[in-house]
Every structure is written in structure tokens, then in C-alpha cells.
Amino acid sequence: MAIMLGMLLAFYGVVIAILYITKQKTAPTFDEYSVGGRSYGTWFVAMSYINSWWPGSTFIAFFGLAAGAGVFGLYALAYSTLGVAFMYLMATRAWRWGKAYDLRTQPDLLRIRFGSNAVRVVASIIGVVSLFPWVVLGMQALGTLFEIASAGTWSVIASLVVGLVVILIRQIWTVQMGMRGLIMTDMFQGFVAYIVSGIVCAIMLTGAFNSPISWSDLGRVGEKFLTLPGDGDTYGPFYISALIFTGVIGSLCWPTSFQRIYTASSVRTVKKGTLATILVSATFYTVLMLVGIAAVNIPEVAAAPQEAWFTLMEQFGGTWLLGLAVVVVFAAQMGHTDASVQVAGLQVANDIVATIRKRPLSDKQLTLISKVSMVVYMLLAGVLAFATFDFDRLQLLAQISYQGIIQLAVPLFFGIFWRGGNRHGALWGMVSGFVIAAVLTGVYPDDIPALGSLTSGIVGLIVNAVVFLVVSAITGRTDEERLRVEAMFRVAESGERALVAPDDVQPVSAAPADALVERTKDAE
């Protein structure tokens, strides 16, 4: 107990030290607070992205899936890798628009693209609501973590309270420093969570140092662990495809992932960062899943797959490696929670409150609102985590969040790559898709058997796209709107700087598109 808690304390101390050392002596501008001044390099962007994508539950839920169901756990490898690859394709347009129009959030981009504050508010609400369950689940994971770190001497309630207190204390710096604090600590947290754990997994697979598993164990995995859902069982043929497709789309729609584009110093940095992300993420998750699959025949793992990560690490190296296993999960979960809370607070201030006020807010006001929002968000999540710790259906909220967040894909993807569509289509498409996805998930939490095991989010996404196209075609676009969109695409395609004020979401002129932009050298 003392060793594991001491290792957690030492890790926590290093994180706090990094925050103190890198904290600015003067109050940051809101641009610095929200996107780190758009100044970070390749590996900072990559580690920040990875830390916002793989939470601590990766080592519990996903590792447990591999240890309990075999190759099924690898489905997340497909969608995470593809998702980052598509982010590479989006990087140029998203970063150039962010730089040219001083965009700070994902809904900010949709506001500019469709010329609508209503689209901005709805997109922000979907993002904030969809992130909330993951913060709750993350806090509960921390409770479980401290129960293990205390060697079972602390009760579940006591462990949960300690976990909540620890993450709430960490949020003091998140609230104060904003994105800068996340970027600087994500490098260290990401190294521990993904690089160190990946190295340990690779060593375990060699069978060295009395490892409980090795490469040879993969050849002794039973047939049932090599079968995917939908291959002769109760699931339909579209189940795996639906999960992967939803994952790919969702990886591009999560506000925490998209936000990382704006923190980069240039388009080139974003692209190099995504390539680094693919390298680290794919390697880490592959070796992690192989270890889980290789361990399926170990009795202790078969009895409790969700605890397999801790079981194997303890068998491999006793208390010290069990302590490392706890620190790894803590590092991953703290980074994920920090990212979710920071982006949620940022969107509440920048996209919801500022829009409702209908008056420009100063940097000081925006920063204050963002800080207060983060505190309230954390307190609400803490209360819900405490009240629902043993609530079996809480997983339903996580499923709703994933099926809901992909409804941002229609206006986001159409808006970035196509000049068509308008604010009416974007607004009603998102609303209809999100409502349908939420309702269907309540009825069919996992899949819809009558549709070949398609998930509710896919059905909502189809309705979303149809509504977007039909409503946009019926309502049409004005000449002024066409000119405004044309000017934006000139910025995206050739690196021109916008002359349109960032807060002006209405058509600014009927003048030729050339009058709305001017050439500037892009930081590439």
C-alpha cells in the first residue's frame, strides 16, 4: 500500500512541479488561455492529442475487452488510427481558418462557416453534454484506482472521495492556466501512460524476466477469442462496421481532439503531429491489446477481465510493477479529464455565454466565465459520480454521448470540404440527428437488431445528413452568402488572410470575393 500510494504521490508531485515551473507570471490573454497562443510544436500537439483520446479506462475497459473477448478489443485500433489519418486531411483547412478568423473552438468554426450563432450554440451544447458522462466515468475510474492502490484497505466510498479530491485539486491549475497547463503536462503524462506502458508490454511479450505471457501464448488462443461479433452470434452483420465507422467519425468530432489543431504553430506542425500521433497511438494500443489477448488463458484474468491489467503487472513484477500499473492509469485518466473539463469550460464561455449576451466580452470576462464553468462542471460531475457509483445503467449515458457527438460530423465535414449547405440545414440536421440518436439509444442501448445491428448514432447520422441536404436545398443561399463562403475557401485553399471580422457572421459585402481576402504568407 505504502509503495503504490508513494508512487502516485511522486508522479502527482512532478505534474504539479511542471505546472508551477511553466506557469506564466502575467495573466494570459484569452487566445493564450484557450489555444495556447497557437505556438506548440509537433510532439506537444501529438502527446496532447493522445492524452485527450485514450483515457484511463483504456487499461480497464478496452484491455478487459481483449482479455475477455479476444480480438474484439482490436476494433478500437481501426477507428482510432483511421480517425487520426482523416484529421491529417482536415488539418490544413481547419488550421488556416482558425488562424485567419481567430477561432478558438470547434463550434467557432461552424459559426463562421454557416454564418449562424444558433449553429454555434447547438454544436457547443452537443459537445459539452456529450463530454460530461466521460468526466463522470473518469472520476469513478479514479475511485477504483485508489481502491487498488490502497490494497483494498480503503472502502469504495473512501477511494472515490480521494479520487475526486485529487482531480479537483489538479483542476486548480487547469482553471488558472487553461490550455497551456494541459499542453505542458500532457507531454509528461503521455510519456508515462503510453510510452512507458508500451515498453513494458513489449517486454512482457518477449517472455523475459518471468513474464506471465509471451508471443507463443497468442498461438494457443481459443477459437472463441478469434471471432468478432456478428460472425454467427446474436449480432447482425453491420455491428462491427457500425462501431468502427462511429469511432472514426467520433474521433474527428470530439471537441477535445479538434481543439488540438488550433494549438499548433503551423499547418506543417499539425500534419507532423498527426503522423506522430498515429505512430505512438497505433504502437501503444497494438502491444496493449496483444498482451490482453495473450493472457486470456490465465485463470485470474479469465475470472476478472476488467482487472487484467493490474493482475498481469502484479504477476510480472510484484508490488512495484502493480504500482506502475496504477500510475499509468492515473496519468492517462488525469490527462483525459483535464482536457474534457478545459474544453467544456471554454465552449461555455466562448460559444454559449458570449453568444447569448450578444455583446463582445473582454478577454478577462471570457477567462473568468470559462474558469467558473470548469468549476461548476467538475462539481456537478463529482456529485453525479458519487451518487451513481453502483448504477449499472451509467454505461448507457456513455453510449448516448458517443452516438450523439457524431451528429456534429454532418455540418463539420460538409462545411469544411463543400461550399454548399446553409445554416438552416446545419441547425436542423444536428438537432434532428441528436434527438433521434438519444431516443434510439434509450430503446436500443447496444444495437438495433432489425437493422442488422446498426447503432442508433448511425441512424441519427443518416437522418442528419438528409435533413441537412433537403433543408439547405429548399431554403437556398443568397448571393452574399455564396461570396462569404467563397472567400473562406480561398483562405483555406491558398493561405489567404480574411478581412472579415471574426465576430461578423452575417454576409459582410456584396463585393467580389477577391475584395474579402488578401494574400499573406502562411506559417508552413
Side-chain angles (χ1 to χ4, degrees):
M1 173 180 172
I3 292 175
M4 289 186 284
L5 290 177
M7 292 175 70
L8 277 174
L9 183 62
F11 172 81
Y12 197 65
V14 174
V15 171
I16 299 303
I18 292 173
L19 291 168
Y20 267 117
I21 293 171
T22 59
K23 184 179 180 180
Q24 292 177 309
K25 295 182 180 181
T26 58
T29 64
F30 192 64
D31 186 67
E32 174 70 30
Y33 189 81
S34 57
V35 294
R38 309 178 203 275
S39 60
Y40 291 97
T42 299
W43 284 104
F44 282 105
V45 173
M47 279 301 185
S48 180
Y49 185 97
I50 297 169
N51 218 187
S52 70
W53 180 244
W54 295 116
S57 59
T58 302
F59 298 89
I60 300 173
F62 283 97
F63 192 81
L65 187 62
V71 296
F72 184 27
L74 288 170
Y75 89 92
L77 174 65
Y79 78 69
S80 61
T81 305
L82 288 172
V84 178
F86 281 115
M87 183 68 80
Y88 183 94
L89 301 177
M90 295 173 59
T92 298
R93 293 169 185 263
W95 189 89
R96 283 176 173 170
W97 279 345
K99 181 72 172 180
Y101 295 99
D102 192 28
L103 305 181
R104 295 154 177 168
T105 64
Q106 182 191 73
D108 233 358
L109 185 148
L110 294 177
R111 169 186 67 95
I112 286 291
R113 170 59 181 84
F114 292 103
S116 170
N117 278 323
V119 169
R120 176 195 201 183
V121 171
V122 170
S124 184
I125 291 173
I126 290 175
V128 171
V129 170
S130 297
L131 283 171
F132 188 72
W134 293 104
V135 178
V136 175
L137 292 172
M139 289 184 172
Q140 292 181 337
L142 289 173
T144 302
L145 197 65
F146 278 98
E147 186 180 14
I148 295 173
S150 67
T153 59
W154 293 353
S155 68
V156 171
I157 299 299
S159 299
L160 180 59
V161 170
V162 172
L164 294 179
V165 170
V166 167
I167 200 66
L168 283 170
I169 292 175
R170 169 63 179 85
Q171 296 312 304
I172 293 174
W173 285 272
T174 300
V175 169
Q176 289 180 344
M177 298 175 65
M179 183 59 73
R180 180 181 179 85
L182 297 184
I183 293 288
M184 300 308 295
T185 55
D186 278 347
M187 178 64 76
F188 173 65
Q189 291 169 176
F191 176 80
V192 172
Y194 314 110
I195 304 296
V196 172
S197 68
I199 292 173
V200 172
C201 286
I203 294 174
M204 290 177 69
L205 286 170
T206 66
F209 307 108
N210 295 318
S211 171
I213 58 98
S214 69
W215 286 104
S216 62
D217 291 314
L218 294 172
R220 292 189 286 271
V221 173
E223 182 67 25
K224 68 176 183 178
F225 297 109
L226 301 176
T227 303
L228 294 173
D231 187 13
D233 56 14
T234 58
Y235 286 102
F238 301 132
Y239 185 63
I240 286 294
S241 298
L243 289 180
I244 294 175
F245 181 77
T246 301
V248 172
I249 300 300
S251 67
L252 299 173
C253 294
W254 286 111
T256 48
S257 299
F258 199 88
Q259 187 84 10
R260 272 51 192 169
I261 292 178
Y262 295 148
T263 65
S265 59
S266 68
V267 171
R268 179 176 296 176
T269 297
V270 177
K271 291 183 174 181
K272 290 169 66 177
T274 54
L275 291 176
T277 298
I278 292 173
L279 173 63
V280 175
S281 181
T283 303
F284 149 74
Y285 192 78
T286 298
V287 295
L288 183 70
M289 290 299 100
L290 290 178
V291 168
I293 296 170
V296 297
N297 293 319
I298 296 177
E300 295 86 349
V301 170
Q306 298 295 320
E307 300 174 10
W309 170 249
F310 305 105
T311 299
L312 289 176
M313 292 289 276
E314 185 176 26
Q315 289 184 1
F316 186 33
T319 302
W320 285 100
L321 272 190
L322 178 59
L324 177 61
V326 169
V327 170
V328 163
V329 177
F330 183 59
Q333 189 56 58
M334 187 160 60
H336 187 272
T337 300
D338 290 343
S340 299
V341 172
Q342 194 270 347
V343 169
L346 175 61
Q347 289 194 177
V348 169
N350 189 72
D351 305 316
I352 299 177
V353 176
T355 302
I356 294 174
R357 282 283 302 272
K358 296 183 178 180
R359 291 184 306 182
L361 296 173
S362 67
D363 279 7
K364 184 177 180 180
Q365 289 174 314
L366 286 169
T367 303
L368 177 61
I369 294 170
S370 183
K371 290 179 178 180
V372 172
S373 299
M374 289 183 202
V375 173
V376 173
Y377 199 71
M378 282 293 298
L379 290 176
L380 289 175
V383 171
L384 189 59
F386 187 83
T388 61
F389 191 79
D390 295 319
F391 182 44
D392 294 335
R393 298 286 288 175
L394 192 61
Q395 179 61 29
L396 178 60
L397 295 179
Q399 290 176 316
I400 290 176
S401 72
Y402 222 104
Q403 305 303 334
I405 198 66
I406 66 173
Q407 306 311 318
L408 296 177
V410 172
L412 187 63
F413 298 167
F414 276 131
I416 289 178
F417 296 108
W418 184 46
R419 289 172 169 79
N422 63 22
R423 59 182 178 273
H424 304 294
L427 178 63
W428 292 111
M430 282 191 296
V431 171
S432 60
F434 186 79
V435 170
I436 288 173
V439 171
L440 286 177
T441 302
V443 180
Y444 303 102
D446 194 5
D447 66 313
I448 305 175
L451 298 179
S453 289
L454 282 179
T455 56
S456 59
I458 300 296
V459 177
L461 194 65
I462 293 171
V463 173
N464 188 342
V466 171
V467 171
F468 175 88
L469 294 172
V470 171
V471 172
S472 295
I474 292 174
T475 55
R477 296 188 301 160
T478 64
D479 291 338
E480 289 82 4
E481 186 171 7
R482 288 190 180 90
L483 288 170
R484 181 178 57 80
V485 173
E486 181 62 32
M488 288 191 66
F489 273 77
R490 285 279 302 278
V491 171
E493 293 169 356
S494 57
E496 294 173 326
R497 185 176 63 221
L499 294 179
V500 182
D503 293 321
D504 185 1
V505 298
Q506 301 301 323
V508 295
S509 173
D514 287 347
L516 300 180
V517 293
E518 69 175 0
R519 176 74 61 180
T520 187
K521 184 177 181 180
D522 219 354
E524 297 184 45

